[in-house]
């Protein structure tokens, strides 16, 4: 009887653990950020505020790459 209770308690704990996961957000592409400058700026601000937790998530990586591409484009335009 104790063994069955123990197994049920472990099963319930395992099921409840999955309930605490944060909802996944859609990963935006570099091109998407290039087309949506306001969202790019918002994501860069969020990533910069907490780089330890957010710096390596796909949206931060893609937003940083979009910023780099914009910077290069601006430099090339300035040299023309």
């Amino acid at each position: 009887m104790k063994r069955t209770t123990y197994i049920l308690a472990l099963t319930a704990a395992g099921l409840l653990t999955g309930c605490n996961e944060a909802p996944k957000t859609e990963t935006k592409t570099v091109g998407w950020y290039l087309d949506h400058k306001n969202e790019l700026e918002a994501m860069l601000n969020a990533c910069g505020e907490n780089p330890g937790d957010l710096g390596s998530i796909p949206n931060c990586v893609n937003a940083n790459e979009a910023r780099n591409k914009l910077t290069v484009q601006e430099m090339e335009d300035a040299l023309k």
Side-chain angles (χ1 to χ4, degrees), residues 26-78:
E26 179 184 348
T27 300
K28 308 293 188 205
T29 64
V30 172
W32 187 90
Y33 281 115
L34 291 172
D35 293 337
H36 299 87
K37 304 288 192 299
N38 290 336
E39 287 84 354
L40 170 62
E41 181 148 350
M43 182 56 67
L44 290 172
N45 287 335
C47 297
E49 288 290 322
N50 192 357
D53 287 337
L54 302 177
S56 62
I57 66 168
N59 279 326
C60 286
V61 172
N62 290 346
N64 278 314
E65 183 62 26
R67 178 184 56 194
N68 292 343
K69 287 184 181 244
L70 285 172
T71 301
V72 168
Q73 185 62 49
E74 290 170 357
M75 293 171 85
E76 287 175 351
D77 291 345

